[in-house]
């Protein structure tokens, strides 16, 4: 490959603590504008910030989950810059002594596992929000000012948009697992900035880094990276270079657009924030947090394979979210047939959810109901195909499988006498198929089974129909 793409990410994640990072205002999303505010988060003169211990705890949790080194001594710094939504004229953040250093996330590629290194994870406050009206006014909402954030910075270790997407998915699912953030991109609780450039591996020439901002979904992020990758390659192949700048993704035009040119690295004039004492983190506290950390996605995946003897691929899909994995395990508690449970969830349940754009928590039925459905199929009370139709009804109405089966009269016909009657009738009406079968055309059997199923509206026990038909066709 002549061109190599280089991608690094900076991800801001809003933590779901009860209160904000430096005051006791609620940390709830939304709310009537400027109601989640107080002198501290409004940056009024004389107001004193107090660090929320839960923010440190959530930051440490994240650091442990991502294999980072947790600092025993850290501090808060002021990052000076002007922005209307930044009331104090500086953001309280962390400069050269971040809460967590290093670390890594492993992603699974087709040819093996790739390690993406992290540079750091630090804690900081979110800014307020500017609202630009159609009349041309700019209004400010400070409900978000002081919402706790962690900023996760990677090394430039990703080489394709797909690797970046896999990284983001792993990051998101891990943060959800350890319950530090709800990671809702559409509400801005997970925001991702991308640094991307391209290198000519023969000459060593590189394009200038483009920073991509304001990406509100992983899909938009991937599209923006693909667009930039192409743009950089083209310029490089023409002997030109990119402008060092920040661009945003335009969802409608399907392209990136210049936001602003970047001059030299901005000088934020970091200074230690004198409103805070140095932060000392005892090793015992870190150990305690580590001990209470919930099971992480890759540990859960390994355990599911071991405990339930399901294929690695299934375990990977089922552990993509903690809720999905929980749903699986609870269903197995009722059903005991882990492989069937996995098949039903991976097949019809996930397909219906995807088609409807819903998540597992939106299901109208619970693990017990899915287990009951599987039981009905396993016991031969309904066929597999009828089972799929029952699931569709459960999905739409939330009724129990028993109710649906009863209401629609779907119980499988496994009564030999009743089946024989139907089979005789079908044979009588399809004499040619009997001749065909006897002259060696096996397909005729399938056709006859189909006719019996049709006559019983899918309720005949297919195994019995198969067996009984064969016996009849083979008797002279
Ligand atoms: Zn406040
Ligand atoms: Mn930041």
């Amino acid at each position: 490959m002549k061109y190599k793409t280089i991608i690094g990410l900076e991800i801001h994640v809003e933590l779901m603590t009860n209160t904000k990072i430096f005051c006791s205002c609620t940390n709830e999303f939304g709310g009537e504008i400027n109601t989640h505010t107080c002198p501290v988060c409004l940056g009024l003169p004389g107001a004193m910030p107090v660090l929320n211990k839960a923010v440190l705890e959530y930051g440490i949790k994240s650091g442990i989950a991502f294999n980072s080194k947790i600092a025993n001594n850290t501090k808060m710094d002021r990052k000076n810059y002007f922005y209307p939504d930044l009331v104090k004229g500086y953001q309280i953040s962390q400069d050269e002594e971040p809460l967590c250093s290093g670390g890594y996330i492993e992603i699974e590629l087709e040819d093996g596992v790739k390690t993406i290194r992290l540079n750091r994870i630090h804690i900081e406050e979110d800014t307020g929000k500017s609202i630009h009206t159609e009349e041309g006014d700019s209004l400010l909402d400070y409900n978000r000012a002081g919402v706790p954030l962690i900023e996760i910075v990677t090394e430039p270790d990703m080489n394709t948009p797909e690797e970046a997407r896999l990284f983001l998915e792993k990051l998101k699912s891990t943060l959800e697992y350890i319950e530090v953030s709800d990671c809702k991109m559409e509400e801005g609780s997970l925001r991702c900035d991308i640094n991307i450039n391209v290198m000519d591996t023969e000459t060593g020439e590189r394009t200038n880094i483009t920073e991509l901002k304001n990406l509100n979904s992983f899909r938009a992020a991937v599209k923006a990276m693909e667009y930039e990758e192409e743009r950089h390659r083209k310029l490089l192949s023409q002997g030109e270079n990119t402008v060092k700048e920040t661009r945003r993704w335009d969802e409608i035009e399907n392209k990136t657009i210049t936001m602003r040119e970047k001059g030299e690295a901005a000088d934020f004039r970091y200074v230690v924030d004198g409103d805070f004492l140095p932060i000392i983190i005892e090793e015992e506290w870190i150990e305690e947090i580590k001990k209470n950390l919930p099971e992480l996605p890759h540990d859960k995946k390994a355990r599911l394979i071991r405990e339930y003897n399901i294929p690695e691929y299934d375990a990977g899909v089922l552990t993509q979210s903690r809720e999905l994995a929980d749903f699986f395990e609870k269903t197995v508690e009722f059903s005991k047939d882990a492989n069937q449970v996995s098949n039903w969830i991976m097949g019809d349940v996930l397909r219906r959810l995807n088609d409807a754009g819903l998540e597992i928590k939106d299901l109208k039925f619970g693990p017990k109901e899915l287990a009951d459905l599987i039981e009905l199929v396993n016991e031969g009370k309904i066929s597999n195909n009828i089972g799929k139709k029952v699931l569709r009804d459960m999905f739409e109405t939330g009724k129990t499988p028993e109710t649906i089966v009863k209401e629609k009269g779907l119980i499988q016909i496994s009564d030999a006498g009743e089946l024989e009657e139907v089979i005789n009738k079908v044979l009588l009406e399809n004499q040619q198929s009997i001749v065909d079968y006897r002259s060696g055309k096996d397909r005729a059997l399938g056709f006859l089974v189909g006719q019996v199923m049709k006559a019983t509206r899918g309720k005949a026990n297919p195994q019995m129909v198969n067996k009984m038909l064969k016996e009849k066709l083979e008797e002279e």
Side-chain angles (χ1 to χ4, degrees):
M1 192 71 120
K2 186 171 154 61
Y3 296 115
K4 184 177 174 185
T5 302
I6 302 159
I7 300 168
L9 305 174
E10 284 175 24
I11 303 112
H12 284 89
V13 181
E14 286 181 351
L15 303 176
M16 49 188 188
T17 52
N18 294 326
T19 54
K20 290 185 177 181
I21 184 167
F22 302 125
C23 60
S24 54
C25 288
T26 177
N27 176 26
E28 224 179 309
F29 176 75
E32 198 176 329
I33 58 164
N34 292 315
T35 53
H36 303 169
T37 53
C38 73
V40 173
C41 54
L42 286 174
L44 301 187
M48 286 289 276
V50 177
L51 179 59
N52 180 351
K53 194 178 175 190
V55 173
L56 277 180
E57 184 189 330
Y58 283 30
I60 294 169
K61 262 179 147 182
S62 311
I64 295 169
F66 297 134
N67 317 291
S68 309
K69 163 100 186 68
I70 315 295
N72 294 110
N73 296 287
T74 182
K75 62 184 173 72
M76 302 311 299
D77 298 293
R78 293 183 178 183
K79 180 180 180 180
N80 295 283
Y81 64 99
F82 173 77
Y83 224 74
D85 57 19
L86 185 70
V87 266
K88 302 185 295 297
Y90 60 85
Q91 179 189 28
I92 305 175
S93 179
Q94 297 194 290
D95 185 20
E96 80 277 53
E97 285 177 30
L99 179 60
C100 316
S101 316
Y104 60 89
I105 292 180
E106 289 180 334
I107 55 171
E108 278 157 53
L109 305 178
E110 267 171 34
D111 55 355
V113 170
K114 180 168 177 179
T115 302
I116 310 295
R117 292 168 303 151
L118 301 185
N119 177 286
R120 61 188 276 154
I121 303 173
H122 66 254
I123 55 173
E124 62 185 27
E125 59 179 339
D126 210 343
T127 60
K129 231 185 231 173
S130 305
I131 305 160
H132 306 290
T133 69
E134 279 176 27
E135 290 76 35
D137 297 319
S138 286
L139 306 174
L140 287 157
D141 178 8
Y142 291 109
N143 282 355
R144 201 180 69 177
V147 162
L149 295 174
I150 48 172
E151 181 178 333
I152 301 165
V153 183
T154 78
E155 298 293 347
D157 284 351
M158 288 149 279
N159 299 112
T160 64
E162 175 64 7
E163 286 180 15
R165 188 185 66 80
L166 289 169
F167 174 89
L168 285 169
E169 273 181 358
K170 188 78 177 276
L171 178 100
K172 176 173 183 279
S173 86
T174 305
L175 292 169
E176 286 168 347
Y177 263 78
I178 60 173
E179 292 177 322
V180 299
S181 175
D182 59 16
C183 295
K184 288 184 185 160
M185 280 187 102
E186 68 281 8
E187 289 183 3
S189 53
L190 189 149
R191 308 195 288 270
C192 165
D193 299 340
I194 299 165
N195 287 312
I196 181 168
N197 68 335
V198 165
M199 182 175 126
D200 184 327
T201 52
E202 285 161 17
T203 64
E205 258 182 291
R206 290 162 182 252
T207 51
N208 288 316
I209 293 173
T210 299
E211 182 186 35
L212 294 167
K213 269 190 184 291
N214 294 356
L215 302 154
N216 54 15
S217 69
F218 288 170
R219 221 170 58 94
V222 168
K223 280 189 182 170
M225 283 184 275
E226 285 170 350
Y227 183 88
E228 280 304 302
E229 186 175 45
E230 198 50 44
R231 193 175 68 86
H232 280 241
R233 281 184 190 182
K234 202 166 165 193
L235 286 168
L236 199 55
S237 70
Q238 291 165 351
E240 291 175 53
N241 203 338
T242 49
V243 179
K244 197 174 174 193
E245 63 183 349
T246 303
R247 296 170 79 93
R248 66 176 177 84
W249 177 246
D250 189 312
E251 197 72 58
I252 296 151
E253 298 274 328
N254 258 307
K255 61 180 190 182
T256 63
I257 290 168
T258 302
M259 285 171 78
R260 55 181 175 264
E261 255 184 58
K262 277 202 150 181
E264 290 311 299
D267 184 355
F268 292 113
R269 291 286 175 122
Y270 280 101
V271 285
V272 175
D273 191 323
D275 288 343
F276 296 88
L277 289 167
I279 302 162
I280 297 159
I281 298 166
E282 305 280 354
E283 206 53 45
E284 292 86 76
W285 193 35
I286 301 172
E287 283 308 314
E288 193 190 313
I289 295 171
K290 195 180 276 178
K291 217 172 58 208
N292 295 322
L293 204 68
E295 191 177 32
L296 296 174
H298 61 272
D299 295 330
K300 200 183 273 285
K301 181 180 165 189
R303 184 174 60 77
L304 291 194
I305 298 170
R306 203 171 59 234
E307 211 164 291
Y308 302 106
N309 201 18
I310 55 171
E312 185 180 346
Y313 177 78
D314 292 27
V317 174
L318 292 171
T319 51
Q320 263 166 15
S321 84
R322 188 168 160 177
E323 279 159 345
L324 184 60
D326 285 349
F327 193 91
F328 166 76
E329 291 205 86
K330 285 200 187 108
T331 310
V332 176
E333 266 177 42
F334 292 114
S335 151
K336 309 289 175 225
D337 189 342
N339 260 296
Q340 282 297 333
V341 173
S342 169
N343 287 343
W344 279 89
I345 292 179
M346 305 254 306
D348 282 60
V349 175
L350 283 184
R351 186 173 55 77
R352 294 208 172 274
L353 285 173
N354 284 340
D355 288 352
L358 298 173
E359 288 176 50
I360 197 87
K361 64 170 166 25
D362 305 318
L363 277 181
K364 288 182 181 161
F365 59 88
K368 170 82 168 68
E369 286 69 41
L370 180 60
D372 287 346
L373 172 67
I374 293 169
E375 184 78 359
L376 286 171
V377 175
N378 279 357
E379 285 178 345
K381 289 198 177 138
I382 56 173
S383 69
N384 204 56
N385 272 334
I386 295 280
K388 285 168 187 274
K389 287 180 186 156
V390 173
L391 183 83
R392 186 191 61 201
D393 280 13
M394 288 163 69
F395 190 84
E396 282 164 7
T397 66
K399 288 182 183 170
T400 66
E402 289 82 0
T403 308
I404 295 163
V405 165
K406 213 176 281 168
E407 278 179 3
K408 299 203 162 172
L410 298 174
I411 289 291
Q412 181 161 269
I413 305 168
S414 299
D415 179 89
E418 202 176 327
L419 285 179
E420 186 160 18
E421 233 170 82
V422 184
I423 288 171
N424 286 341
K425 190 159 166 280
V426 166
L427 287 175
L428 205 64
E429 287 164 0
N430 296 283
Q431 298 286 333
Q432 185 57 43
S433 296
I434 304 176
V435 177
D436 288 350
Y437 183 81
R438 289 186 176 149
S439 62
K441 289 182 186 158
D442 286 346
R443 266 189 314 153
L445 179 65
F447 171 75
L448 288 168
V449 172
Q451 292 304 109
V452 175
M453 296 310 290
K454 202 170 146 193
T456 57
R457 288 184 294 126
K459 289 189 290 179
N461 179 328
Q463 285 84 21
M464 284 183 72
V465 172
N466 235 297
K467 187 161 162 279
M468 290 171 69
L469 259 175
K470 245 186 184 161
E471 280 166 11
K472 280 197 180 288
L473 288 167
E474 272 153 26
E475 72 194 20
E476 285 306 314

